[in-house]
Amino acid sequence: MYCPSTVLNQLVELTYLTAQRLSTVEGIIPPHMAGPVAHWHEMHDETFYVTKGMVRFTVPKHPGNPEEKHIDAYEGDYITVPVRAPHTFSNPSDGESRFFCTMTPSFYINYFKLLSQVVDAGKPVTREMNLDAMAMYATLSTEQAGPSP
């Protein structure tokens, strides 16, 4: 289990069944918690199925989006984040939120595995460590660089 920005992620790895085409994670966001830094993925798509509460997805301001946008997804809602789409998510509500996330292809699951090792060893995950780990798996903070049009 890895905890970036207080979002707990339970790995539900089934990559061996899909020849590395698909991986899954369950995310648990405590009330009033921010999620990961706004970011975009160069090589994989994500989907989010909200299974409990409300998750606020944010599309940050960037050259293709002149104003920040928020999408509140509730239990039963399904959100797709394509390759190169800047995004983040959070839980501004009073209750716990949960989601089931898929990543395709599956290599990004290794980001969670890497940081799980750090957390399991009792070490803190710093912002710099998190950004470096994201970059290892073709994911960049929108502060580092934006996707080219």
Side-chain angles (χ1 to χ4, degrees):
M1 194 174 319
Y2 160 58
C3 184
S5 306
T6 67
V7 176
L8 301 175
N9 292 298
Q10 181 65 43
L11 302 181
V12 186
E13 185 177 8
L14 300 173
T15 57
Y16 65 93
L17 295 174
T18 65
Q20 312 301 316
R21 291 185 309 270
L22 177 72
S23 60
T24 57
V25 170
E26 179 187 30
I28 304 167
I29 315 173
H32 304 287
M33 289 293 161
V37 64
H39 61 279
W40 57 279
H41 308 286
E42 181 68 34
M43 298 176 64
H44 73 275
D45 297 296
E46 291 179 316
T47 66
F48 296 84
Y49 179 69
V50 179
T51 58
K52 181 180 180 183
M54 186 268 284
V55 177
R56 174 165 289 159
F57 291 87
T58 300
V59 179
K61 186 176 177 179
H62 61 86
N65 183 45
E67 295 196 23
E68 185 173 271
K69 296 178 185 175
H70 299 285
I71 301 165
D72 291 344
Y74 296 88
E75 185 174 329
D77 287 344
Y78 188 74
I79 302 290
T80 300
V81 180
V83 168
R84 307 183 80 145
H87 65 286
T88 188
F89 53 85
S90 63
N91 177 7
S93 76
D94 292 330
E96 178 183 85
S97 297
R98 291 178 177 245
F99 60 83
F100 183 77
C101 175
T102 66
M103 295 158 278
T104 185
S106 72
F107 69 91
Y108 198 65
I109 197 77
N110 295 311
Y111 159 80
F112 295 103
K113 288 179 180 180
L114 175 67
L115 294 180
S116 291
Q117 293 171 357
V118 174
V119 170
D120 290 347
K123 298 177 184 174
V125 176
T126 66
R127 178 180 169 83
E128 182 177 298
M129 183 185 301
N130 185 37
L131 293 174
D132 288 347
M134 289 169 70
M136 288 174 60
Y137 298 102
T139 297
L140 294 175
S141 159
T142 56
E143 297 166 5
Q144 293 171 302
S148 56

